C-alpha cells in the first residue's frame, strides 16, 4: 500500500480537492491518504489562539467569523448536490461551534493544541463527505486514534503500527483510507501536534507503521529544487536524492519537507517521492538509499540560528572539556547543529532559544562566552567523500564577498555547512546558485 500526503495548497480550494479525488482514484490501488489543513487555516487558528490567550475576545470572535465565512464559501464550491452541501454545512458548523467554545472558557496550552488541530479535522471530514457525494467508497481513520508522541515529543511508531493496522483490518474491502496529518495525542492523552509542517512527518510515520511500499508527498512544486525557489530565480528539481541528502536539506531549511520526515522512511527503507499536484505528470524527486552520484546537488538555508563561542585557556591540552560543555546543552534538551573548535575556543550553534539564558549562565563558568543571534546556516549537499577535490574551493569562490562566521566540512560525506549573518542570506543563496550550478 502507498501513502499519499496532500499539503495545504493541494487541498486549498474546492477545485484542488476535486483534483486530489481524481488523483487518488485514478489507478484503483489501495492507499492511505494523509491530508493537511486547507492552506492558511493553521495560520488563522494560531492567530485566533493568540487573541484568545491575550483575552482580546472581540478580535478573536471577529477572526473566527471570518474563517467560518471562508469555509461557507469553500463548501459551496466543493459539493454539487444539496445532500453534499448539507453534510458540508453540518461539518463546518459543528467545528466552528467547538472553536467558539474554546474562546469562551479558560485557555491553556491544552486548548491551544485542540484549536490548531481543527484545520486537519475539518479538511479531512469535508474531503470524506465529498468522496461520499461522488459515491467513492473510503474510510476516514482518525489520526488521534493511532498517532502518539512520548514525553520527549518523539512519535511512537509501534503504537501507530498496532492501532493503524487494526483500524485498516476492520475495512477489508476498502481501497481508500483518509487520515489527518499533523495531529496526534501526547502521553496525557491530550490532543497535540507534530509542529508546523508536520503532515509530511505523519505521512512518513504512517508509511513506516504500515511498511508502505512508497510515501508520496504531493505539494505545489515539482520536487526538491537545487536551491530555495522563494529566494533564487533559476532553480530546478532534483531527480534523485539519498535519504541522508534529503534529511540534511529538510533539516537545514528546505521547506518542502518537515525536518524529520526522512527519519522513519530511512529507518524502514521506504522510498519517498515528492510530486506536484498542479503538474501530476512531472517526474518530481525520488528519495531512497541509492541514487545517482553527483558532486553538488542542492543548497538550503536555515534561519533563526544562534552562534555561541566559548573561549577558555583551560581548554589548552585539556581533556573532558567538551563533555562538560555539551552536558549543559543536554541538560536543557537543546540540540547543537554546528561545531568548530580551536585550541582555546569552541563555537557552536543552536536554533532553540528557549533556555539560552540558563545555558549561558552555566557555560560562563568555563570561560568567556560570546553570543551572536540572527545567524543563518547555509547547507550545501552532495556527495563529497574524502577523495573529492575542489568542493570547498567552489563554495568559497562563489561567496568570496560574504563574511563567513563558521565552516563545517568532513562531518559527513554529504554536506558542507557555513554560518553567515542572516542579512547576507539571499545574496549568498543567489551567489551559490551562480557559482555551483
Ligand atoms: P505543503 O503545504 O504542500 O506542505 P509547503 O509550503 O510546506 O507545502 O512546501 C512547499 C514549498 O516549499 C514550495 O512551494 C517552495 O516554495 C518551498 N521550498 C523551499 N525550499 C524548497 C526546495 N529546495 N525545493 C522545493 N521547494 C522548496
Ligand atoms: N497544517 C499544519 C501546518 O500548517 C501541518 C501541515 O500543513 O503540514 O503547519
Ligand atoms: Mg509543508
Amino acid at each position: 500500500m502507498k501513502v499519499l500526503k496532500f499539503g495545504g495548497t493541494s487541498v486549498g480550494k474546492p477545485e484542488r480537492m476535486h483534483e486530489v479525488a481524481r488523483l487518488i482514484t485514478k489507478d484503483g490501488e489501495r492507499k492511505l491518504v494523509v491530508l493537511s489543513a486547507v492552506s492558511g487555516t493553521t495560520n488563522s487558528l494560531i492567530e485566533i489562539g493568540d487573541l484568545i490567550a491575550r483575552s482580546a475576545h472581540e478580535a478573536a470572535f471577529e477572526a473566527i467569523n471570518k474563517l467560518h465565512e471562508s469555509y461557507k464559501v469553500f463548501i459551496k464550491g466543493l459539493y454539487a448536490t444539496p445532500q453534499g452541501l448539507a453534510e458540508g454545512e453540518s461539518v463546518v458548523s459543528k467545528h466552528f461551534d467547538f472553536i467558539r467554545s474554546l474562546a469562551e472558557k479558560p485557555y491553556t496550552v491544552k486548548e491551544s493544541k485542540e484549536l490548531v488541530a481543527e484545520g486537519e479535522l475539518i479538511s479531512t471530514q469535508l474531503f470524506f463527505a465529498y468522496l461520499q457525494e461522488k459515491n467513492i467508497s473510503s474510510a476516514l481513520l482518525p489520526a488521534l486514534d493511532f498517532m502518539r508522541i512520548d514525553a520527549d515529543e518523539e512519535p511512537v511508531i509501534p503504537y501507530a503500527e498496532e492501532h493503524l493496522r487494526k483500524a485498516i483490518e476492520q475495512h477489508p474491502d476498502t481501497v481508500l483510507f483518509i487520515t489527518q496529518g499533523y495531529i496526534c495525542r501526547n502521553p496525557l492523552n491530550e490532543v497535540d501536534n507534530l509542529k508546523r509542517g508536520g503532515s509530511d512527518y505523519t505521512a512518513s510515520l504512517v508509511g513506516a507503521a504500515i511498511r508502505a511500499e512508497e510515501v508520496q508527498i504531493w505539494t505545489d512544486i515539482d520536487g526538491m529544487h537545487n536551491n530555495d525557489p522563494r529566494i533564487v530565480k533559476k532553480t530546478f528539481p532534483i531527480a534523485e536524492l539519498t535519504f541522508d541528502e534529503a534529511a540534511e536539506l529538510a533539516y537545514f531549511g528546505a521547506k518542502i519537507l518537515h525536518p524529520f520526515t526522512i527519519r522513519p522512511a530511512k529507518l524502514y527503507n521506504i522510498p519517498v517521492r515528492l510530486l506536484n499536484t498542479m503538474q501530476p505528470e512531472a517526474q518530481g524527486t525520488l528519495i531512497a538509499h541509492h541514487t545517482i552520484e553527483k558532486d553538488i546537488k542542492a543548497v538550503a538555508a536555515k534561519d533563526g540560528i544562534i552562534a555561541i563561542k566559548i573561549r577558555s585557556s583551560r581548554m589548552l591540552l585539556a581533556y573532558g572539556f567538551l563533555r562538560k560543555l555539551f552536558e549543559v546543552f543536554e541538560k536543557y534538551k537543546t540540540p547543537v547543529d554546528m561545531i568548530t573548535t580551536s585550541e582555546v575556543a569552541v563555537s557552536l550553534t543552536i536554533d532553540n532559544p528557549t533556555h539560552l539564558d540558563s545555558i549561558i549562565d552555566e557555560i560562563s563558568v568555563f570561560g568567556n562566552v560570546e553570543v551572536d543571534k540572527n545567524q543563518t546556516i547555509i547547507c550545501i549537499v552532495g556527495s563529497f567523500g574524502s577523495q573529492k577535490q575542489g568542493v570547498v574551493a567552489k563554495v568559497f569562490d562563489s561567496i568570496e564577498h560574504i563574511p563567513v562566521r563558521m565552516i563545517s566540512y568532513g562531518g559527513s560525506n554529504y554536506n558542507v555547512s557555513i554560518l553567515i549573518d542572516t542579512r547576507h542570506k539571499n545574496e549568498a543563496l543567489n551567489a551559490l546558485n551562480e557559482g555551483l550550478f
Side-chain angles (χ1 to χ4, degrees):
M1 186 147 79
K2 285 183 184 158
V3 173
L4 281 73
K5 175 259 172 178
F6 293 88
T9 26
S10 303
V11 293
K13 291 199 174 108
E15 316 78 272
R16 307 275 9 128
M17 276 203 184
H18 297 163
E19 174 65 9
V20 171
R22 202 186 62 78
L23 282 170
I24 63 172
T25 47
K26 225 168 40 179
D27 57 9
E29 279 177 25
R30 215 169 184 220
K31 47 182 77 76
L32 175 55
V33 178
V34 176
L35 299 187
S36 289
V38 168
S39 61
T41 297
T42 310
N43 285 346
S44 299
L45 291 169
I46 289 172
E47 278 164 30
I48 290 166
D50 289 345
L51 292 169
I52 302 174
R54 286 195 277 120
S55 298
H57 284 98
E58 205 174 310
F61 278 105
E62 231 169 77
I64 295 170
N65 292 342
K66 194 170 155 214
L67 189 62
H68 193 167
E69 287 308 314
S70 74
Y71 275 95
K72 287 181 187 164
V73 176
F74 191 98
I75 55 177
K76 285 199 185 109
L78 183 61
Y79 303 103
T81 64
Q83 300 92 305
L85 188 60
E87 181 55 29
E89 271 164 0
S90 140
V91 168
V92 169
S93 67
K94 182 183 78 189
H95 284 278
F96 277 88
D97 284 352
F98 177 70
I99 293 171
R100 288 193 179 85
S101 80
L102 290 175
E104 279 159 353
K105 60 179 196 180
Y107 191 76
T108 67
V109 175
K110 175 175 169 283
E111 282 74 26
S112 75
K113 294 200 167 150
E114 289 174 2
L115 178 61
V116 296
E118 285 297 298
E120 272 70 13
L121 291 168
I122 298 174
S123 67
T124 45
Q125 286 174 25
L126 291 181
F127 184 68
F128 180 64
Y130 172 66
L131 294 179
Q132 284 181 318
E133 182 188 58
K134 299 275 288 177
N135 282 322
I136 300 167
S137 156
S138 70
L140 180 58
L141 306 180
L144 296 178
D145 291 352
F146 58 82
M147 287 300 297
R148 287 225 158 224
I149 48 172
D150 64 17
D152 292 323
E153 302 194 329
E154 282 295 324
V156 191
I157 296 178
Y159 187 91
E161 203 174 316
E162 185 191 338
H163 290 82
L164 186 54
R165 280 191 182 211
K166 269 190 203 145
I168 291 174
E169 274 163 23
Q170 280 169 12
H171 302 273
D173 302 325
T174 302
V175 177
L176 290 177
F177 295 94
I178 317 293
T179 194
Q180 298 85 19
Y182 180 57
I183 63 174
C184 60
R185 287 193 187 273
N186 61 29
L188 300 172
N189 211 31
E190 296 165 348
V191 175
D192 213 314
N193 62 66
L194 302 175
K195 308 270 159 64
R196 294 309 306 273
S199 297
D200 302 327
Y201 199 17
T202 303
S204 66
L205 289 163
V206 297
I210 62 165
R211 310 290 192 271
E213 132 205 11
E214 181 172 293
V215 171
Q216 300 182 346
I217 309 282
W218 288 82
T219 181
D220 59 0
I221 189 164
D222 53 350
M224 178 75 80
H225 277 221
N226 68 312
N227 205 326
D228 193 328
R230 296 165 299 179
I231 296 167
V232 176
K233 274 206 191 93
K234 279 185 251 154
T235 63
F236 52 84
I238 309 162
E240 293 187 14
L241 286 169
T242 63
F243 286 125
D244 291 333
E245 291 166 345
E248 206 82 20
L249 290 168
Y251 187 72
F252 288 109
K255 191 197 169 217
I256 186 170
L257 283 178
H258 178 285
F260 303 147
T261 310
I262 297 303
R263 272 190 209 165
K266 183 185 174 190
L267 196 63
Y268 291 84
N269 194 17
I270 297 166
V272 177
R273 215 180 270 279
L274 310 182
L275 293 159
N276 189 351
T277 327
M278 326 284 162
Q279 211 188 320
E281 64 296 338
Q283 180 190 12
T285 300
L286 175 65
I287 302 164
H289 261 309
H290 298 288
T291 71
I292 312 162
E293 278 272 317
K294 205 176 155 206
D295 271 8
I296 296 176
K297 283 193 178 170
V299 175
K302 184 175 175 185
D303 297 333
I305 303 294
I306 302 162
I308 303 174
K309 183 187 281 174
I310 307 100
R311 208 190 309 261
S312 165
S313 50
R314 279 164 43 202
M315 263 181 83
L316 203 62
L317 301 175
Y319 53 82
F321 180 85
L322 287 177
R323 178 178 55 77
K324 285 187 211 137
L325 179 64
F326 284 110
E327 268 171 4
V328 178
F329 291 87
E330 188 184 350
K331 177 174 165 193
Y332 290 102
K333 292 189 177 171
T334 300
V336 171
D337 282 328
M338 275 176 84
I339 315 163
T340 56
T341 62
S342 80
E343 259 318 299
V344 290
V346 182
S347 276
L348 50 81
T349 69
I350 60 171
D351 69 354
N352 180 352
T354 315
H355 302 291
L356 183 61
D357 292 342
S358 313
I359 290 173
I360 293 171
D361 271 356
E362 292 200 24
I363 61 177
S364 292
V365 303
F366 302 128
N368 176 28
V369 177
E370 274 171 48
V371 176
D372 288 318
K373 294 185 181 163
N374 300 319
Q375 304 288 302
T376 291
I377 294 177
I378 307 260
C379 168
I380 298 108
V381 162
S383 15
F384 332 123
S386 53
Q387 308 305 321
K388 276 270 157 65
Q389 295 162 335
V391 173
V392 176
K394 260 197 211 167
V395 169
F396 286 100
D397 277 351
S398 314
I399 53 161
E400 59 176 7
H401 53 299
I402 293 169
V404 171
R405 168 83 167 70
M406 278 169 73
I407 307 166
S408 167
Y409 177 67
S412 73
N413 283 343
Y414 43 81
N415 130 330
V416 183
S417 298
I418 52 182
L419 187 73
I420 59 171
D421 194 296
T422 304
R423 279 180 300 169
H424 303 301
K425 170 180 135 178
N426 290 4
E427 198 188 344
L429 288 179
N430 279 289
L432 286 166
N433 222 54
E434 285 290 310
L436 302 182
F437 302 105

